[in-house]
Short mmCIF file of all heavy atoms in Angstrom, two decimals:
data_model
loop_
_atom_site.label_atom_id
_atom_site.label_comp_id
_atom_site.label_asym_id
_atom_site.label_seq_id
_atom_site.Cartn_x
_atom_site.Cartn_y
_atom_site.Cartn_z
N HIS A 193 18.98 24.42 -12.02
CA HIS A 193 19.21 25.48 -13.03
C HIS A 193 18.49 26.84 -12.45
O HIS A 193 17.75 26.76 -11.52
CB HIS A 193 18.45 25.13 -14.34
CG HIS A 193 18.72 26.11 -15.45
ND1 HIS A 193 17.77 26.96 -15.79
CD2 HIS A 193 19.82 26.28 -16.28
CE1 HIS A 193 18.26 27.77 -16.82
NE2 HIS A 193 19.41 27.31 -17.10
N SER A 194 19.00 27.89 -12.95
CA SER A 194 18.53 29.15 -12.51
C SER A 194 16.95 29.40 -12.68
O SER A 194 16.36 30.14 -11.92
CB SER A 194 19.21 30.37 -13.20
OG SER A 194 18.98 30.27 -14.61
N SER A 195 16.36 28.60 -13.56
CA SER A 195 14.93 28.67 -13.75
C SER A 195 14.18 27.98 -12.63
O SER A 195 12.97 28.11 -12.63
CB SER A 195 14.60 28.01 -15.14
OG SER A 195 14.92 26.64 -15.09
N GLY A 196 14.91 27.21 -11.83
CA GLY A 196 14.31 26.39 -10.77
C GLY A 196 14.19 24.97 -11.12
O GLY A 196 13.81 24.16 -10.25
N LEU A 197 14.47 24.60 -12.39
CA LEU A 197 14.36 23.20 -12.85
C LEU A 197 15.58 22.40 -12.30
O LEU A 197 16.70 22.87 -12.49
CB LEU A 197 14.33 23.16 -14.38
CG LEU A 197 14.32 21.79 -15.00
CD1 LEU A 197 12.98 21.13 -14.68
CD2 LEU A 197 14.54 21.96 -16.55
N TYR A 198 15.25 21.24 -11.77
CA TYR A 198 16.38 20.35 -11.37
C TYR A 198 16.59 19.32 -12.51
O TYR A 198 15.63 18.86 -13.22
CB TYR A 198 15.97 19.50 -10.13
CG TYR A 198 15.96 20.26 -8.86
CD1 TYR A 198 14.91 21.01 -8.47
CD2 TYR A 198 17.05 20.22 -8.03
CE1 TYR A 198 14.91 21.78 -7.28
CE2 TYR A 198 17.08 20.91 -6.82
CZ TYR A 198 16.00 21.74 -6.41
OH TYR A 198 16.00 22.46 -5.23
N LEU A 199 17.92 18.98 -12.78
CA LEU A 199 18.30 18.20 -13.87
C LEU A 199 19.08 16.93 -13.36
O LEU A 199 19.97 17.05 -12.54
CB LEU A 199 19.16 18.93 -14.87
CG LEU A 199 19.87 18.12 -15.95
CD1 LEU A 199 18.71 17.51 -16.92
CD2 LEU A 199 20.84 18.93 -16.74
N LEU A 200 18.66 15.74 -13.89
CA LEU A 200 19.42 14.52 -13.63
C LEU A 200 19.82 14.07 -15.09
O LEU A 200 19.06 13.47 -15.82
CB LEU A 200 18.68 13.42 -12.95
CG LEU A 200 19.28 12.13 -12.60
CD1 LEU A 200 20.53 12.44 -11.72
CD2 LEU A 200 18.40 11.16 -11.92
N PRO A 201 21.09 14.32 -15.45
CA PRO A 201 21.53 14.09 -16.91
C PRO A 201 21.87 12.69 -17.12
O PRO A 201 22.00 11.82 -16.20
CB PRO A 201 22.77 14.96 -17.02
CG PRO A 201 23.33 14.98 -15.66
CD PRO A 201 22.15 14.88 -14.72
N ARG A 202 22.08 12.38 -18.34
CA ARG A 202 22.39 10.93 -18.76
C ARG A 202 23.96 10.70 -18.41
O ARG A 202 24.66 11.64 -18.10
CB ARG A 202 22.19 10.70 -20.30
CG ARG A 202 22.98 11.79 -21.18
CD ARG A 202 24.18 11.30 -21.76
NE ARG A 202 24.86 12.43 -22.56
CZ ARG A 202 25.79 13.19 -22.11
NH1 ARG A 202 26.25 12.99 -20.90
NH2 ARG A 202 26.30 14.02 -22.85
N PRO A 203 24.41 9.49 -18.37
CA PRO A 203 25.78 9.11 -17.97
C PRO A 203 26.76 9.79 -18.94
O PRO A 203 26.47 10.02 -20.12
CB PRO A 203 25.80 7.60 -17.97
CG PRO A 203 24.40 7.17 -17.89
CD PRO A 203 23.63 8.19 -18.52
N VAL A 204 27.94 10.04 -18.34
CA VAL A 204 29.05 10.66 -19.19
C VAL A 204 29.64 9.55 -20.17
O VAL A 204 29.78 9.72 -21.38
CB VAL A 204 30.18 11.21 -18.33
CG1 VAL A 204 31.30 11.77 -19.17
CG2 VAL A 204 29.60 12.41 -17.44
N GLU A 205 29.99 8.40 -19.58
CA GLU A 205 30.59 7.35 -20.31
C GLU A 205 29.59 6.29 -20.85
O GLU A 205 28.65 5.93 -19.99
CB GLU A 205 31.62 6.57 -19.47
CG GLU A 205 32.71 7.48 -18.94
CD GLU A 205 33.69 8.00 -19.95
OE1 GLU A 205 33.70 7.30 -21.12
OE2 GLU A 205 34.44 9.01 -19.75
N LEU A 206 29.73 5.74 -22.01
CA LEU A 206 28.75 4.83 -22.57
C LEU A 206 28.69 3.60 -21.72
O LEU A 206 27.68 3.00 -21.52
CB LEU A 206 29.14 4.43 -23.95
CG LEU A 206 28.80 5.49 -25.05
CD1 LEU A 206 29.36 5.04 -26.47
CD2 LEU A 206 27.34 5.70 -25.15
N HIS A 207 29.83 3.09 -21.10
CA HIS A 207 29.86 1.86 -20.34
C HIS A 207 29.07 2.08 -18.97
O HIS A 207 28.60 1.00 -18.48
CB HIS A 207 31.23 1.43 -20.06
CG HIS A 207 32.08 2.28 -19.28
ND1 HIS A 207 31.95 2.42 -17.93
CD2 HIS A 207 33.05 3.18 -19.63
CE1 HIS A 207 32.84 3.36 -17.44
NE2 HIS A 207 33.47 3.83 -18.48
N ASP A 208 28.84 3.30 -18.60
CA ASP A 208 28.09 3.55 -17.37
C ASP A 208 26.57 3.19 -17.64
O ASP A 208 25.80 3.06 -16.59
CB ASP A 208 28.22 4.99 -16.93
CG ASP A 208 29.63 5.24 -16.35
OD1 ASP A 208 30.24 4.21 -15.91
OD2 ASP A 208 30.06 6.34 -16.38
N THR A 209 26.13 3.16 -18.84
CA THR A 209 24.71 2.89 -19.12
C THR A 209 24.32 1.44 -18.80
O THR A 209 23.11 1.16 -18.68
CB THR A 209 24.31 3.17 -20.58
OG1 THR A 209 25.07 2.30 -21.43
CG2 THR A 209 24.74 4.60 -20.91
N GLU A 210 25.34 0.55 -18.64
CA GLU A 210 25.01 -0.87 -18.49
C GLU A 210 24.32 -1.12 -17.17
O GLU A 210 23.61 -2.13 -17.07
CB GLU A 210 26.30 -1.66 -18.59
CG GLU A 210 27.05 -1.61 -19.95
CD GLU A 210 28.39 -2.23 -19.93
OE1 GLU A 210 28.82 -2.71 -18.84
OE2 GLU A 210 29.08 -2.21 -20.95
N SER A 211 24.56 -0.26 -16.18
CA SER A 211 23.90 -0.52 -14.90
C SER A 211 22.44 -0.01 -14.84
O SER A 211 21.75 -0.26 -13.83
CB SER A 211 24.66 0.19 -13.80
OG SER A 211 24.76 1.56 -14.02
N ILE A 212 22.04 0.68 -15.82
CA ILE A 212 20.71 1.22 -15.91
C ILE A 212 19.68 0.39 -16.57
O ILE A 212 19.86 0.05 -17.82
CB ILE A 212 20.70 2.70 -16.50
CG1 ILE A 212 21.73 3.60 -15.81
CG2 ILE A 212 19.36 3.30 -16.50
CD1 ILE A 212 21.96 4.84 -16.46
N ASN A 213 18.69 -0.07 -15.92
CA ASN A 213 17.62 -0.90 -16.53
C ASN A 213 16.31 -0.50 -16.10
O ASN A 213 16.11 0.50 -15.38
CB ASN A 213 17.90 -2.41 -16.27
CG ASN A 213 17.93 -2.59 -14.69
OD1 ASN A 213 17.23 -2.01 -13.91
ND2 ASN A 213 18.88 -3.51 -14.27
N GLY A 214 15.27 -1.18 -16.54
CA GLY A 214 13.89 -0.78 -16.23
C GLY A 214 13.60 -0.76 -14.75
O GLY A 214 12.96 0.19 -14.21
N ASP A 215 14.02 -1.72 -14.00
CA ASP A 215 13.84 -1.78 -12.58
C ASP A 215 14.49 -0.62 -11.76
O ASP A 215 13.85 -0.04 -10.94
CB ASP A 215 14.34 -3.10 -11.96
CG ASP A 215 13.49 -4.29 -12.38
OD1 ASP A 215 12.32 -4.05 -12.66
OD2 ASP A 215 13.99 -5.40 -12.33
N SER A 216 15.74 -0.33 -12.28
CA SER A 216 16.41 0.78 -11.52
C SER A 216 15.73 2.11 -11.89
O SER A 216 15.71 3.02 -10.92
CB SER A 216 17.88 0.85 -11.94
OG SER A 216 18.08 0.98 -13.28
N ILE A 217 15.24 2.23 -13.13
CA ILE A 217 14.57 3.51 -13.41
C ILE A 217 13.27 3.67 -12.71
O ILE A 217 12.92 4.73 -12.23
CB ILE A 217 14.24 3.55 -14.96
CG1 ILE A 217 15.63 3.86 -15.71
CG2 ILE A 217 13.22 4.62 -15.35
CD1 ILE A 217 16.21 5.10 -15.39
N ARG A 218 12.55 2.53 -12.42
CA ARG A 218 11.36 2.64 -11.64
C ARG A 218 11.66 3.11 -10.16
O ARG A 218 10.87 3.90 -9.57
CB ARG A 218 10.64 1.30 -11.63
CG ARG A 218 9.99 0.88 -12.92
CD ARG A 218 9.20 -0.47 -12.77
NE ARG A 218 8.65 -0.83 -14.09
CZ ARG A 218 9.24 -1.65 -14.89
NH1 ARG A 218 10.40 -2.13 -14.65
NH2 ARG A 218 8.62 -1.92 -16.06
N LYS A 219 12.74 2.65 -9.66
CA LYS A 219 13.14 3.08 -8.31
C LYS A 219 13.48 4.54 -8.21
O LYS A 219 13.08 5.25 -7.39
CB LYS A 219 14.36 2.19 -7.76
CG LYS A 219 13.95 0.75 -7.53
CD LYS A 219 15.22 -0.05 -7.17
CE LYS A 219 14.81 -1.52 -6.96
NZ LYS A 219 16.06 -2.30 -6.60
N VAL A 220 14.26 4.99 -9.20
CA VAL A 220 14.57 6.43 -9.29
C VAL A 220 13.39 7.28 -9.36
O VAL A 220 13.17 8.33 -8.70
CB VAL A 220 15.65 6.67 -10.56
CG1 VAL A 220 15.84 8.17 -10.65
CG2 VAL A 220 16.93 5.98 -10.21
N ILE A 221 12.46 6.90 -10.33
CA ILE A 221 11.20 7.72 -10.51
C ILE A 221 10.40 7.68 -9.31
O ILE A 221 9.80 8.69 -8.85
CB ILE A 221 10.44 7.08 -11.69
CG1 ILE A 221 11.17 7.39 -13.03
CG2 ILE A 221 9.03 7.72 -11.81
CD1 ILE A 221 10.58 6.67 -14.22
N GLY A 222 10.33 6.50 -8.63
CA GLY A 222 9.51 6.50 -7.30
C GLY A 222 10.06 7.36 -6.29
O GLY A 222 9.25 8.05 -5.55
N LEU A 223 11.43 7.45 -6.17
CA LEU A 223 11.98 8.42 -5.18
C LEU A 223 11.76 9.84 -5.56
O LEU A 223 11.44 10.66 -4.74
CB LEU A 223 13.49 8.05 -5.08
CG LEU A 223 14.27 8.76 -3.96
CD1 LEU A 223 13.60 8.38 -2.59
CD2 LEU A 223 15.70 8.23 -3.90
N LEU A 224 11.89 10.14 -6.89
CA LEU A 224 11.75 11.57 -7.33
C LEU A 224 10.21 11.96 -7.18
O LEU A 224 9.94 13.12 -6.80
CB LEU A 224 12.09 11.65 -8.82
CG LEU A 224 13.64 11.62 -9.06
CD1 LEU A 224 13.83 11.42 -10.62
CD2 LEU A 224 14.31 12.89 -8.64
N LYS A 225 9.32 11.03 -7.32
CA LYS A 225 7.94 11.36 -7.27
C LYS A 225 7.52 11.80 -5.77
O LYS A 225 6.61 12.56 -5.62
CB LYS A 225 7.01 10.10 -7.58
CG LYS A 225 6.94 9.89 -9.12
CD LYS A 225 6.24 8.55 -9.41
CE LYS A 225 4.82 8.54 -9.02
NZ LYS A 225 4.10 7.32 -9.41
N ALA A 226 8.31 11.24 -4.84
CA ALA A 226 8.03 11.67 -3.38
C ALA A 226 8.56 13.04 -3.10
O ALA A 226 8.33 13.53 -1.98
CB ALA A 226 8.63 10.60 -2.46
N SER A 227 9.35 13.60 -4.03
CA SER A 227 10.04 14.90 -3.73
C SER A 227 9.63 16.02 -4.63
O SER A 227 9.90 17.15 -4.32
CB SER A 227 11.55 14.68 -3.78
OG SER A 227 12.19 15.78 -3.32
N PHE A 228 8.99 15.70 -5.74
CA PHE A 228 8.67 16.84 -6.76
C PHE A 228 7.20 16.75 -7.10
O PHE A 228 6.55 15.69 -7.07
CB PHE A 228 9.49 16.69 -8.03
CG PHE A 228 10.97 16.89 -7.79
CD1 PHE A 228 11.88 15.92 -7.46
CD2 PHE A 228 11.48 18.23 -7.90
CE1 PHE A 228 13.19 16.13 -7.29
CE2 PHE A 228 12.81 18.48 -7.62
CZ PHE A 228 13.72 17.45 -7.36
N THR A 229 6.63 17.91 -7.48
CA THR A 229 5.29 17.99 -8.01
C THR A 229 5.20 17.54 -9.48
O THR A 229 4.21 17.06 -9.94
CB THR A 229 4.73 19.37 -7.87
OG1 THR A 229 5.39 20.30 -8.74
CG2 THR A 229 4.73 19.81 -6.42
N HIS A 230 6.25 17.71 -10.23
CA HIS A 230 6.23 17.41 -11.64
C HIS A 230 7.65 16.72 -11.98
O HIS A 230 8.69 17.15 -11.51
CB HIS A 230 6.11 18.66 -12.53
CG HIS A 230 4.77 19.31 -12.49
ND1 HIS A 230 4.47 20.09 -11.37
CD2 HIS A 230 3.65 19.18 -13.27
CE1 HIS A 230 3.22 20.57 -11.57
NE2 HIS A 230 2.76 20.03 -12.70
N LEU A 231 7.49 15.67 -12.75
CA LEU A 231 8.78 14.99 -13.25
C LEU A 231 8.54 14.88 -14.69
O LEU A 231 7.70 14.31 -15.25
CB LEU A 231 8.77 13.53 -12.59
CG LEU A 231 9.99 12.73 -12.74
CD1 LEU A 231 11.27 13.46 -12.26
CD2 LEU A 231 9.85 11.46 -11.98
N VAL A 232 9.64 15.43 -15.51
CA VAL A 232 9.68 15.37 -16.96
C VAL A 232 10.67 14.42 -17.38
O VAL A 232 11.91 14.49 -16.95
CB VAL A 232 9.87 16.77 -17.55
CG1 VAL A 232 9.84 16.63 -19.06
CG2 VAL A 232 8.85 17.75 -17.07
N LEU A 233 10.31 13.38 -18.14
CA LEU A 233 11.21 12.35 -18.58
C LEU A 233 11.50 12.53 -20.06
O LEU A 233 10.60 12.30 -20.86
CB LEU A 233 10.71 10.98 -18.26
CG LEU A 233 10.12 10.69 -16.91
CD1 LEU A 233 9.50 9.34 -16.81
CD2 LEU A 233 11.20 10.83 -15.82
N ASP A 234 12.73 12.82 -20.46
CA ASP A 234 13.12 12.96 -21.90
C ASP A 234 13.62 11.57 -22.39
O ASP A 234 14.75 11.19 -22.05
CB ASP A 234 14.23 14.01 -21.97
CG ASP A 234 14.58 14.29 -23.40
OD1 ASP A 234 13.77 13.91 -24.35
OD2 ASP A 234 15.63 14.90 -23.70
N LEU A 235 12.76 10.91 -23.19
CA LEU A 235 13.07 9.50 -23.52
C LEU A 235 14.02 9.48 -24.78
O LEU A 235 14.25 10.57 -25.51
CB LEU A 235 11.77 8.81 -23.89
CG LEU A 235 10.70 8.87 -22.84
CD1 LEU A 235 9.63 7.89 -23.28
CD2 LEU A 235 11.18 8.37 -21.51
N SER A 236 14.58 8.34 -25.05
CA SER A 236 15.45 8.22 -26.25
C SER A 236 14.46 7.79 -27.39
O SER A 236 13.23 7.67 -27.27
CB SER A 236 16.44 7.07 -25.99
OG SER A 236 15.83 5.78 -26.14
N LYS A 237 15.02 7.66 -28.64
CA LYS A 237 14.23 7.24 -29.74
C LYS A 237 14.21 5.74 -30.00
O LYS A 237 13.75 5.31 -31.04
CB LYS A 237 14.70 8.01 -30.97
CG LYS A 237 14.84 9.52 -30.85
CD LYS A 237 13.62 10.20 -30.26
CE LYS A 237 13.88 11.67 -30.05
NZ LYS A 237 14.81 11.93 -28.94
N THR A 238 14.96 4.99 -29.16
CA THR A 238 15.07 3.63 -29.24
C THR A 238 13.94 2.82 -28.72
O THR A 238 13.79 1.61 -28.98
CB THR A 238 16.38 3.09 -28.67
OG1 THR A 238 16.32 3.32 -27.31
CG2 THR A 238 17.56 3.79 -29.25
#
Side-chain angles (χ1 to χ4, degrees):
H193 187 259
S194 58
S195 64
L197 178 68
Y198 286 85
L199 171 66
L200 184 57
R202 54 100 182 101
V204 176
E205 303 290 341
L206 284 176
H207 62 78
D208 288 336
T209 64
E210 296 171 3
S211 62
I212 303 171
N213 55 39
D215 288 338
S216 61
I217 286 301
R218 287 186 183 92
K219 290 178 182 177
V220 171
I221 291 173
L223 192 53
L224 288 167
K225 283 171 67 176
S227 190
F228 292 92
T229 63
H230 294 78
L231 189 55
V232 181
L233 311 174
D234 184 15
L235 308 187
S236 75
K237 310 307 176 293
T238 61

